[in-house]
Structures are given as structure tokens and as C-alpha cells.
Amino acid sequence: AQSVAQPEDQVNVAEGNPLTVKCTYSVSGNPYLFWYVQYPNRGLQFLLKYITGDNLVKGSYGFEAEFNKSQTSFHLKKPSALVSDSALYFCAVRDMGSSGGYNQLIFGAGTRLAVHP
Amino acid sequence: SQTIHQWPATLVQPVGSPLSLECTVEGTSNPNLYWYRQAAGRGLQLLFYSVGIGQISSEVPQNLSASRPQDRQFILSSKKLLLSDSGFYLCARLPGLSGANVLTFGAGSRLTVL
């Protein structure tokens, strides 16, 4: 069965410092990987995805993520954090190798990012 | 545009009362539609998904139900609400704004059951 783990409930970073939000996954086939961000009382907004190709993907608001097949990870990164980056971040995976006509998107539990001035 | 409209945005209901949350989508016809619930501002739980009119799949047994009476309309209902039904309900569609494989979410409906 496919699964996603976000090992940190919260990440605290000082403004201007680099940030990393961790994500590991487990699938039987090839993964499609996604990061979403959620601001208070809002729906989830798409940040970036890995489908195939270059392992380093760049997304919205200066975020990037690196697909590491051997470590089954897809960590979210940003070189210089902003206070406005403070939000809840979700990693998600779809197992494109699973059988059946429906490939469900599985979300991690979320990591709360707090960027301090 | 693959816009999603959800209403009401907030709702406070007594235990035992009925519920109807509506989701309508714009854009590509015959989208896959989803209802997720988010409790306590954390993880997402998939409740229902639909691949077409009248086609509903339930992911978890509970006192909620879903219907898709039209291609672009997805409704979440309950005959009698429980306290545990409180949460933030998100409707989503596929394909989405950012591509065929990317879910687009609505702004959500916050339900408080008292």
C-alpha cells in the first residue's frame, strides 16, 4: 500500500535562513509526488510536482524539491525563508503502478512551518 | 478556468440536524471530483470520490453520503450530524488548474457541530 510520511509536526526557521520540510513515501510502482501549501482557513494550493525527468523540480514562491529514488524522499526546500511562508505544508503521492482504474492521491499528515522575523 | 466553488463557507449545526454542502466546478467536463475532510487543521482524509454523474465511491464508512446529480456538481450530505462530523471539508477536482495530474481544491467549508 502507498503511504506518505512527514516526520516533523513543526519546523521553525529564522527569516532569511534556508528551510527544509521532509517527506518520505512508499509506493509499489513509480510515484507522482506533490507539495501543497495551506494558509489558515483556506483550501490547499499546489506548489510543485515530480512526474518524471529532472530530479530537482522548481515550483511557486521560490520553493523547490528534490526527488531521491534511493531514499524514497521528496523534501521541500527554499534557500531563504520569508515570514509569509509560514503555513501548513502537505506532501502527497500517487502510485502510478497500482492496479485498478483509480489512483488515489495520499496525503501526509502535514508539517507546520513557522518562520520567525 | 478549473475553478471550484464551495458553499456555505461556514456552518454551525446542532447534533442530529441534516447537512448539505455543495461543490460546483468550472472547466473541463467530466472531471473526477473528491470530498476530503480535515480535522484539527492537520491531515486530509478522503471521504468520497466520483468519476462521473451518479458514480460515487466511499473511502470510509460513516454517516455521511455524497451525490453527483450533474457533471459539475458534487454534494456532501448527512441525515443526522454527529459531534465528530465537525471539520473543514474540501472539494477537489482532477484535472486541475496546474495540470492533468494536479488536484485543485476549493476554499473549503468549515462545519461546527454543537
Side-chain angles (χ1 to χ4, degrees):
Chain A
Q2 55 186 356
S3 64
V4 178
Q6 292 182 242
E8 303 152 316
D9 283 346
Q10 180 152 333
V11 170
N12 297 298
V13 178
E15 188 174 31
N17 283 1
L19 70 87
T20 299
V21 182
K22 295 179 181 178
C23 172
T24 58
Y25 65 90
S26 174
V27 298
S28 58
N30 292 321
Y32 282 16
L33 294 156
F34 306 82
W35 276 101
Y36 287 82
V37 61
Q38 185 182 31
Y39 298 99
N41 294 311
R42 302 294 298 275
L44 276 67
Q45 296 177 31
F46 168 72
L47 276 180
L48 51 79
K49 65 182 178 184
Y50 171 81
I51 303 296
T52 186
D54 194 349
N55 289 345
L56 183 66
V57 293
K58 295 185 183 296
S60 308
Y61 313 121
F63 284 94
E64 58 188 29
E66 185 167 12
F67 171 62
N68 188 317
K69 188 173 183 178
S70 62
Q71 297 185 6
T72 61
S73 67
F74 190 57
H75 302 330
L76 182 70
K77 300 183 179 184
K78 187 172 182 181
S80 179
L82 300 172
V83 172
S84 57
D85 291 330
S86 298
L88 189 57
Y89 290 81
F90 289 98
C91 181
V93 66
R94 175 176 290 125
D95 184 355
M96 301 312 294
S98 60
S99 60
Y102 172 67
N103 293 318
Q104 185 185 140
L105 189 64
I106 300 296
F107 284 86
T111 298
R112 193 166 300 281
L113 174 66
V115 181
H116 305 285
Chain B
S1 169
Q2 311 287 33
T3 305
I4 300 176
H5 303 279
Q6 285 189 245
W7 70 93
T10 59
L11 191 61
V12 180
Q13 291 285 96
V15 169
S17 64
L19 171 73
S20 179
L21 298 179
E22 294 200 33
C23 171
T24 58
V25 303
E26 299 174 6
T28 311
S29 61
N30 199 33
N32 287 356
L33 298 176
Y34 307 81
W35 277 111
Y36 284 87
R37 177 169 59 199
Q38 185 179 27
R42 295 313 296 259
L44 294 164
Q45 178 186 37
L46 179 62
L47 302 175
F48 301 96
Y49 68 92
S50 171
V51 298
I53 296 173
Q55 301 179 63
I56 308 294
S57 297
S58 174
E59 289 295 304
V60 289
Q62 54 205 320
N63 71 319
L64 298 172
S65 63
S67 63
R68 188 167 176 179
Q70 301 179 43
D71 182 47
R72 299 168 195 267
Q73 186 182 28
F74 202 26
I75 299 171
L76 184 69
S77 304
S78 174
K79 292 182 179 178
K80 288 186 177 182
L81 284 169
L82 305 173
L83 285 174
S84 57
D85 291 325
S86 294
F88 193 45
Y89 289 82
L90 292 161
C91 180
R93 69 163 290 155
L94 198 67
L97 272 169
S98 302
N101 290 296
V102 181
L103 275 178
T104 291
F105 286 84
S109 295
R110 183 165 299 284
L111 170 65
T112 303
V113 183
L114 302 175

mmCIF file of all heavy atoms in Angstrom, chain B residues 18-36:
data_model
loop_
_atom_site.group_PDB
_atom_site.id
_atom_site.type_symbol
_atom_site.label_atom_id
_atom_site.label_comp_id
_atom_site.label_asym_id
_atom_site.label_seq_id
_atom_site.Cartn_x
_atom_site.Cartn_y
_atom_site.Cartn_z
ATOM 1 N N PRO B 18 -29.700 17.814 9.760
ATOM 2 C CA PRO B 18 -29.173 17.379 8.451
ATOM 3 C C PRO B 18 -28.096 18.331 7.942
ATOM 4 O O PRO B 18 -27.932 19.442 8.442
ATOM 5 C CB PRO B 18 -30.418 17.432 7.551
ATOM 6 C CG PRO B 18 -31.276 18.484 8.173
ATOM 7 C CD PRO B 18 -31.030 18.414 9.642
ATOM 8 N N LEU B 19 -27.397 17.858 6.917
ATOM 9 C CA LEU B 19 -26.303 18.644 6.340
ATOM 10 C C LEU B 19 -26.343 18.552 4.823
ATOM 11 O O LEU B 19 -26.636 17.483 4.264
ATOM 12 C CB LEU B 19 -24.957 18.100 6.817
ATOM 13 C CG LEU B 19 -23.717 18.676 6.132
ATOM 14 C CD1 LEU B 19 -23.462 20.095 6.598
ATOM 15 C CD2 LEU B 19 -22.497 17.796 6.372
ATOM 16 N N SER B 20 -26.044 19.660 4.189
ATOM 17 C CA SER B 20 -25.824 19.639 2.748
ATOM 18 C C SER B 20 -24.746 20.651 2.422
ATOM 19 O O SER B 20 -24.914 21.847 2.630
ATOM 20 C CB SER B 20 -27.104 19.980 1.986
ATOM 21 O OG SER B 20 -26.866 19.965 0.587
ATOM 22 N N LEU B 21 -23.618 20.161 1.924
ATOM 23 C CA LEU B 21 -22.530 21.017 1.451
ATOM 24 C C LEU B 21 -22.449 20.853 -0.059
ATOM 25 O O LEU B 21 -22.451 19.737 -0.560
ATOM 26 C CB LEU B 21 -21.198 20.620 2.086
ATOM 27 C CG LEU B 21 -21.085 20.720 3.598
ATOM 28 C CD1 LEU B 21 -19.690 20.264 4.042
ATOM 29 C CD2 LEU B 21 -21.357 22.127 4.075
ATOM 30 N N GLU B 22 -22.330 21.966 -0.739
ATOM 31 C CA GLU B 22 -22.329 21.907 -2.198
ATOM 32 C C GLU B 22 -20.987 22.324 -2.781
ATOM 33 O O GLU B 22 -20.301 23.208 -2.247
ATOM 34 C CB GLU B 22 -23.432 22.794 -2.763
ATOM 35 C CG GLU B 22 -24.821 22.296 -2.424
ATOM 36 C CD GLU B 22 -25.882 22.858 -3.342
ATOM 37 O OE1 GLU B 22 -25.599 23.087 -4.521
ATOM 38 O OE2 GLU B 22 -27.015 23.064 -2.854
ATOM 39 N N CYS B 23 -20.681 21.696 -3.876
ATOM 40 C CA CYS B 23 -19.456 21.994 -4.613
ATOM 41 C C CYS B 23 -19.810 22.024 -6.096
ATOM 42 O O CYS B 23 -20.413 21.065 -6.605
ATOM 43 C CB CYS B 23 -18.409 20.928 -4.334
ATOM 44 S SG CYS B 23 -16.946 21.012 -5.375
ATOM 45 N N THR B 24 -19.485 23.114 -6.744
ATOM 46 C CA THR B 24 -19.646 23.157 -8.195
ATOM 47 C C THR B 24 -18.311 23.552 -8.822
ATOM 48 O O THR B 24 -17.555 24.330 -8.236
ATOM 49 C CB THR B 24 -20.732 24.152 -8.638
ATOM 50 O OG1 THR B 24 -20.399 25.452 -8.158
ATOM 51 C CG2 THR B 24 -22.087 23.744 -8.124
ATOM 52 N N VAL B 25 -18.045 22.998 -9.988
ATOM 53 C CA VAL B 25 -16.754 23.217 -10.629
ATOM 54 C C VAL B 25 -16.956 23.781 -12.016
ATOM 55 O O VAL B 25 -17.980 23.558 -12.658
ATOM 56 C CB VAL B 25 -15.929 21.922 -10.689
ATOM 57 C CG1 VAL B 25 -15.745 21.350 -9.292
ATOM 58 C CG2 VAL B 25 -16.568 20.905 -11.606
ATOM 59 N N GLU B 26 -15.954 24.522 -12.466
ATOM 60 C CA GLU B 26 -15.932 25.040 -13.822
ATOM 61 C C GLU B 26 -14.813 24.332 -14.580
ATOM 62 O O GLU B 26 -13.980 23.653 -13.993
ATOM 63 C CB GLU B 26 -15.691 26.554 -13.807
ATOM 64 C CG GLU B 26 -16.755 27.330 -13.072
ATOM 65 C CD GLU B 26 -16.410 28.806 -12.963
ATOM 66 O OE1 GLU B 26 -15.394 29.235 -13.563
ATOM 67 O OE2 GLU B 26 -17.142 29.532 -12.271
ATOM 68 N N GLY B 27 -14.794 24.509 -15.890
ATOM 69 C CA GLY B 27 -13.691 23.997 -16.683
ATOM 70 C C GLY B 27 -14.024 22.696 -17.387
ATOM 71 O O GLY B 27 -15.167 22.434 -17.755
ATOM 72 N N THR B 28 -13.019 21.866 -17.531
ATOM 73 C CA THR B 28 -13.102 20.620 -18.300
ATOM 74 C C THR B 28 -14.273 19.773 -17.850
ATOM 75 O O THR B 28 -14.507 19.601 -16.659
ATOM 76 C CB THR B 28 -11.810 19.809 -18.114
ATOM 77 O OG1 THR B 28 -10.694 20.653 -18.339
ATOM 78 C CG2 THR B 28 -11.764 18.638 -19.077
ATOM 79 N N SER B 29 -15.002 19.238 -18.827
ATOM 80 C CA SER B 29 -16.146 18.394 -18.487
ATOM 81 C C SER B 29 -15.665 17.028 -18.005
ATOM 82 O O SER B 29 -14.532 16.628 -18.229
ATOM 83 C CB SER B 29 -17.056 18.233 -19.694
ATOM 84 O OG SER B 29 -16.361 17.607 -20.750
ATOM 85 N N ASN B 30 -16.576 16.342 -17.320
ATOM 86 C CA ASN B 30 -16.330 15.007 -16.773
ATOM 87 C C ASN B 30 -15.082 14.941 -15.883
ATOM 88 O O ASN B 30 -14.239 14.061 -16.041
ATOM 89 C CB ASN B 30 -16.214 13.965 -17.891
ATOM 90 C CG ASN B 30 -16.426 12.567 -17.361
ATOM 91 O OD1 ASN B 30 -17.194 12.347 -16.432
ATOM 92 N ND2 ASN B 30 -15.717 11.591 -17.927
ATOM 93 N N PRO B 31 -14.960 15.865 -14.946
ATOM 94 C CA PRO B 31 -13.815 15.790 -14.036
ATOM 95 C C PRO B 31 -14.014 14.703 -12.990
ATOM 96 O O PRO B 31 -15.151 14.287 -12.728
ATOM 97 C CB PRO B 31 -13.820 17.161 -13.369
ATOM 98 C CG PRO B 31 -15.271 17.534 -13.322
ATOM 99 C CD PRO B 31 -15.861 16.986 -14.611
ATOM 100 N N ASN B 32 -12.924 14.240 -12.398
ATOM 101 C CA ASN B 32 -13.021 13.462 -11.162
ATOM 102 C C ASN B 32 -13.220 14.459 -10.024
ATOM 103 O O ASN B 32 -12.537 15.480 -9.971
ATOM 104 C CB ASN B 32 -11.747 12.657 -10.923
ATOM 105 C CG ASN B 32 -11.611 11.483 -11.865
ATOM 106 O OD1 ASN B 32 -12.494 11.195 -12.667
ATOM 107 N ND2 ASN B 32 -10.487 10.790 -11.765
ATOM 108 N N LEU B 33 -14.146 14.160 -9.127
ATOM 109 C CA LEU B 33 -14.427 15.058 -8.013
ATOM 110 C C LEU B 33 -14.238 14.324 -6.694
ATOM 111 O O LEU B 33 -14.483 13.114 -6.609
ATOM 112 C CB LEU B 33 -15.851 15.610 -8.109
ATOM 113 C CG LEU B 33 -16.162 16.441 -9.346
ATOM 114 C CD1 LEU B 33 -17.626 16.849 -9.382
ATOM 115 C CD2 LEU B 33 -15.269 17.678 -9.396
ATOM 116 N N TYR B 34 -13.812 15.073 -5.681
ATOM 117 C CA TYR B 34 -13.430 14.475 -4.406
ATOM 118 C C TYR B 34 -13.964 15.310 -3.249
ATOM 119 O O TYR B 34 -14.009 16.538 -3.335
ATOM 120 C CB TYR B 34 -11.901 14.422 -4.273
ATOM 121 C CG TYR B 34 -11.196 13.756 -5.430
ATOM 122 C CD1 TYR B 34 -10.938 14.451 -6.598
ATOM 123 C CD2 TYR B 34 -10.790 12.425 -5.341
ATOM 124 C CE1 TYR B 34 -10.304 13.845 -7.666
ATOM 125 C CE2 TYR B 34 -10.152 11.812 -6.410
ATOM 126 C CZ TYR B 34 -9.919 12.535 -7.560
ATOM 127 O OH TYR B 34 -9.286 11.916 -8.623
ATOM 128 N N TRP B 35 -14.321 14.644 -2.151
ATOM 129 C CA TRP B 35 -14.572 15.305 -0.877
ATOM 130 C C TRP B 35 -13.525 14.808 0.124
ATOM 131 O O TRP B 35 -13.374 13.607 0.341
ATOM 132 C CB TRP B 35 -15.954 14.976 -0.324
ATOM 133 C CG TRP B 35 -17.067 15.802 -0.878
ATOM 134 C CD1 TRP B 35 -18.069 15.406 -1.699
ATOM 135 C CD2 TRP B 35 -17.300 17.188 -0.633
ATOM 136 N NE1 TRP B 35 -18.922 16.441 -1.979
ATOM 137 C CE2 TRP B 35 -18.469 17.565 -1.341
ATOM 138 C CE3 TRP B 35 -16.644 18.170 0.123
ATOM 139 C CZ2 TRP B 35 -18.991 18.858 -1.324
ATOM 140 C CZ3 TRP B 35 -17.156 19.457 0.135
ATOM 141 C CH2 TRP B 35 -18.318 19.792 -0.581
ATOM 142 N N TYR B 36 -12.817 15.774 0.720
ATOM 143 C CA TYR B 36 -11.867 15.483 1.785
ATOM 144 C C TYR B 36 -12.353 16.158 3.069
ATOM 145 O O TYR B 36 -13.001 17.197 3.038
ATOM 146 C CB TYR B 36 -10.481 16.056 1.465
ATOM 147 C CG TYR B 36 -9.679 15.289 0.445
ATOM 148 C CD1 TYR B 36 -9.821 15.560 -0.919
ATOM 149 C CD2 TYR B 36 -8.763 14.323 0.839
ATOM 150 C CE1 TYR B 36 -9.066 14.877 -1.861
ATOM 151 C CE2 TYR B 36 -8.004 13.635 -0.095
ATOM 152 C CZ TYR B 36 -8.158 13.917 -1.436
ATOM 153 O OH TYR B 36 -7.406 13.235 -2.367
#
